[in-house]
């Protein structure tokens, strides 16, 4: 069988896809991408056959084998965009064993998965296109990479509105900034993230939200949203000191205990301390916020105030927030170890920064796609595991008068 000529428009990428197909919906785009993937896979297979035979088609070099090309066979492939027909090159002695699409293999959606995986690791669209060319020997445009990654947008939309657990033992909230570039204007975009621990000790990122800045009002809207998605109760929220956020959270979830991140308070206090005294001041601060009892914490804080009276700004930071230290001792040590800091969600943001540091994003969708793919990677790492020492945490919650009935109620689900 001779190879059929395909419409040349289907081999062109990026803008040519839109020019040729004029897609008006996601379904239209998927149909267009199916036509584009066909020539891509065929180019990969032709390259493999060239390597197998030891010479390129139409080559004038001496052929060291009696084996020759022998036309093409039809094959139907399953991709994430649906089924498509391609033509597989054959050789005369049937010794050609393709590696990219092995014989009897019909599911090649993993190729598209590799593109998504590279995108999730923070590679730019141009870098992905270059890597595909280096590995597989054919060229795709960075716009084509964008089209491939756009296939996760419906999944992202479903994830953003999915139902949540009825109760979370701990929520950690934080905000980071990423650069967007729209209409030649560069601006900062606030990324809001909530990480939750449910009553079984499972970690879950409840959502990611974008806004121009971090504000109490936006956090209130987010708390309202997660309540609409099924969250009835939260035991603890660990947060940084956004003005008014504590009262706002309690207005929506009246029984929640709001804990200021003590690590942030340490950083705030150190702004008033010269570098020569950092080490000693940090040691003395730790003596009260990690004390074994409330009385020991209060005694250590009194000593701290007397010793470091020369740094009134640092002392004032702790005076205004010492009730957040005192309330820690209402709970067991396992609970205190979790609730005293937002490090858990800051670790998530650290993972986000690894893939967003490449530069400005052209729009919010491009940013959300990348963050969502990163979330999926994190969730896969957490799957099947529990928060360290969770059994002890649950025991301490169960015997606490403020939480015992609430834990018993929601542990039934």
């Amino acid at each position: 069988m001779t190879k059929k000529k395909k419409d040349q428009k289907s081999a062109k990428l990026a803008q040519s896809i839109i020019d040729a197909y004029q897609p008006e919906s996601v379904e239209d785009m998927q149909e267009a991408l199916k036509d584009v993937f066909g020539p891509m896979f065929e180019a990969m297979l032709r390259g493999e056959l060239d390597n197998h035979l030891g010479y390129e088609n139409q080559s004038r070099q001496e052929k060291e084998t009696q084996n020759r090309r022998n036309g093409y066979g039809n094959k139907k492939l399953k991709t994430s965009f649906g089924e498509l027909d391609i033509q597989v090159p054959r050789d005369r002695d049937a010794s050609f064993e393709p590696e990219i699409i092995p014989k009897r293999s019909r599911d090649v959606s993993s190729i598209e998965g590799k593109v998504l995986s590279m995108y999730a690791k923070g590679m730019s669209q141009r870098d992905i296109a270059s890597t595909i060319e280096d590995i597989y020997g054919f060229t795709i445009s960075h716009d084509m990479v964008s089209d491939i990654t756009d296939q996760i947008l419906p999944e992202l939309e479903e994830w953003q509105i999915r139902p949540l657990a009825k109760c979370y033992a701990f929520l950690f909230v934080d905000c980071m900034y990423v650069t967007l570039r729209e209409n030649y204007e560069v601006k900062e975009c606030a990324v809001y993230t909530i990480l939750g621990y449910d009553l079984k000790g499972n970690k879950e990122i409840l959502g990611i939200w974008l806004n121009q800045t971090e504000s109490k009002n936006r956090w209130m809207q987010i708390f309202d949203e997660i309540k609409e998605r099924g969250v009835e109760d939260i035991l603890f929220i660990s947060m940084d000191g956004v003005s008014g956020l504590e009262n706002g959270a309690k207005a929506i979830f009246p029984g929640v205990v709001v804990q200021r991140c003590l690590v942030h308070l340490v950083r705030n206090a150190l702004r008033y301390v010269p570098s020569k005294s950092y080490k000693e001041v940090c040691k003395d601060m730790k003596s009260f916020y990690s004390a074994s009892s409330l009385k020991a914490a209060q005694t250590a804080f009194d000593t701290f105030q007397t010793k470091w009276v020369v740094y009134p700004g640092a002392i004032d930071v702790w005076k205004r927030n010492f009730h957040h230290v005192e309330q820690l001792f209402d709970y067991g040590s396992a609970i205190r170890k979790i609730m005293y800091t937002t490090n858990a969600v800051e670790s998530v943001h650290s993972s986000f920064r690894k893939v967003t540091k490449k530069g400005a994003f052209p729009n919010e969708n491009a940013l959300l796609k990348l963050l969502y793919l990163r979330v999926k990677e994190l969730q896969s790492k957490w799957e099947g595991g529990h928060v360290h020492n969770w059994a002890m945490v649950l025991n301490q919650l169960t015997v606490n008068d403020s939480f015992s009935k609430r834990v018993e109620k929601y542990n039934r689900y």
Side-chain angles (χ1 to χ4, degrees):
M1 180 186 296
T2 59
K3 186 177 186 299
K4 296 178 183 178
K5 283 189 176 181
K6 286 187 176 287
D7 185 349
Q8 291 301 311
K9 292 179 182 179
S10 67
K12 294 180 181 180
L13 306 170
Q15 188 59 44
S16 62
I17 297 177
I18 298 175
D19 294 339
Y21 297 94
Q22 296 294 315
E24 297 179 356
S25 65
V26 173
E27 290 75 16
D28 291 345
M29 180 60 74
Q30 288 177 337
E31 288 300 316
L33 289 175
K34 282 169 58 178
D35 282 351
V36 174
F37 268 114
M40 286 167 56
F41 292 133
E42 289 173 350
M44 293 158 61
L45 291 167
R46 289 197 300 271
E48 280 201 77
L49 182 58
D50 288 346
N51 181 264
H52 176 71
L53 296 176
Y55 66 92
E56 296 180 4
N57 197 14
Q58 309 295 333
S59 173
R60 296 183 179 180
Q61 70 185 64
E62 183 178 351
K63 301 176 177 61
E64 298 179 358
T65 175
Q66 297 301 312
N67 195 10
R68 295 289 184 272
R69 289 171 177 77
N70 189 30
Y72 296 85
N74 292 325
K75 190 167 191 174
K76 187 180 292 292
L77 296 179
K78 176 185 176 183
T79 77
S80 57
F81 298 109
E83 292 188 340
L84 61 86
D85 294 308
I86 66 167
Q87 295 181 312
V88 180
R90 301 181 300 200
D91 60 338
R92 288 184 181 177
D93 62 14
S95 60
F96 176 45
E97 296 283 347
E99 294 183 10
I100 299 298
I101 308 175
K103 289 181 178 178
R104 294 171 293 282
S105 175
R106 299 184 181 276
D107 189 342
V108 295
S109 56
S110 61
I111 299 293
E112 299 151 20
K114 288 180 174 63
V115 172
L116 292 174
S117 178
M118 286 187 280
Y119 191 76
K121 289 177 171 58
M123 292 181 65
S124 70
Q125 294 170 357
R126 294 184 186 278
D127 287 342
I128 293 172
S130 176
T131 301
I132 292 293
E133 183 176 5
D134 289 343
I135 295 175
Y136 298 117
F138 64 88
T139 302
I140 64 173
S141 74
H142 67 279
D143 291 323
M144 179 62 182
V145 175
S146 179
D147 290 336
I148 294 173
T149 57
D150 276 350
Q151 69 179 283
I152 69 160
L153 287 175
E155 182 183 332
L156 167 60
E157 291 171 1
E158 289 182 9
W159 179 80
Q160 288 175 314
I161 61 173
R162 76 193 188 284
L164 299 172
K166 292 180 180 293
C167 179
Y168 288 91
F170 299 90
L171 289 190
F172 305 90
V173 304
D174 195 23
C175 194
M176 61 175 279
Y177 284 86
V178 177
T179 305
L180 289 183
R181 184 184 63 252
E182 292 185 356
N183 300 322
Y184 303 101
E185 179 184 355
V186 176
K187 61 181 182 180
E188 293 295 298
C189 175
V191 178
Y192 294 69
T193 307
I194 296 182
L195 171 67
Y197 295 174
D198 66 19
L199 289 175
K200 296 180 180 179
N202 299 315
K203 291 184 180 181
E204 178 186 4
I205 296 175
L206 277 62
I208 45 179
W209 298 264
L210 304 183
N211 197 46
Q212 292 182 346
T213 59
E214 184 180 14
S215 69
K216 168 199 167 183
N217 289 337
R218 184 63 177 121
W219 276 120
M220 291 282 287
Q221 292 170 358
I222 291 170
F223 288 139
D224 264 332
E225 179 183 321
I226 65 173
K227 188 171 185 177
E228 287 296 318
R229 289 165 59 191
V231 179
E232 297 177 0
D233 198 4
I234 300 167
L235 306 187
F236 297 95
I237 293 180
S238 293
M239 48 162 275
D240 190 11
V242 178
S243 178
L245 179 54
E246 180 174 353
N247 291 335
K250 289 181 176 179
I252 299 173
F253 298 102
V256 71
V257 175
V258 178
Q259 174 65 43
R260 279 290 304 273
C261 174
L262 299 191
V263 175
H264 279 86
L265 292 176
V266 169
R267 294 173 189 163
N268 292 344
L270 286 176
R271 291 186 301 161
Y272 302 96
V273 178
S275 57
K276 66 179 182 179
S277 301
Y278 271 16
K279 187 174 182 180
E280 192 174 358
V281 170
C282 283
K283 180 181 177 182
D284 289 345
M285 286 190 290
K286 188 174 182 179
S287 69
F288 59 78
Y289 71 73
S290 63
S292 58
S293 67
L294 175 57
K295 185 176 180 180
Q298 291 169 335
T299 300
F301 184 50
D302 289 340
T303 302
F304 176 83
Q305 294 180 78
T306 302
K307 181 176 179 179
W308 298 110
V309 68
V310 292
Y311 305 137
I315 292 172
D316 185 59
V317 168
W318 287 107
K319 275 186 175 180
R320 287 183 283 108
N321 293 282
F322 199 71
H323 64 283
H324 285 289
V325 177
E326 292 175 321
Q327 76 174 3
L328 287 172
F329 297 98
D330 292 337
Y331 314 103
S333 59
I335 295 175
R336 294 202 303 268
K337 190 172 183 179
I338 292 177
M339 66 183 282
Y340 87 99
T341 178
T342 58
N343 278 355
V345 70
E346 287 187 42
S347 177
V348 172
H349 278 174
S350 177
S351 177
F352 286 172
R353 288 188 181 94
K354 288 180 181 178
V355 297
T356 57
K357 62 184 180 182
K358 60 186 179 181
F361 288 81
N363 52 59
E364 290 188 355
N365 266 355
L367 173 58
L368 282 171
K369 285 189 298 183
L370 179 58
L371 295 179
Y372 174 61
L373 288 169
R374 197 61 169 171
V375 166
K376 289 182 68 176
E377 285 196 345
L378 291 173
Q379 293 284 178
S380 66
K381 291 178 182 177
W382 298 336
E383 194 170 330
H386 300 287
V387 176
H388 177 67
N389 203 29
W390 186 253
M392 184 59 69
V393 173
L394 192 58
N395 276 309
Q396 292 181 1
L397 289 172
T398 302
V399 299
N400 187 285
D401 292 339
S402 300
F403 302 123
S404 57
K405 291 182 179 179
R406 293 154 69 184
V407 171
E408 182 182 356
K409 172 184 177 182
Y410 291 107
N411 251 346
R412 299 171 186 170
Y413 296 100

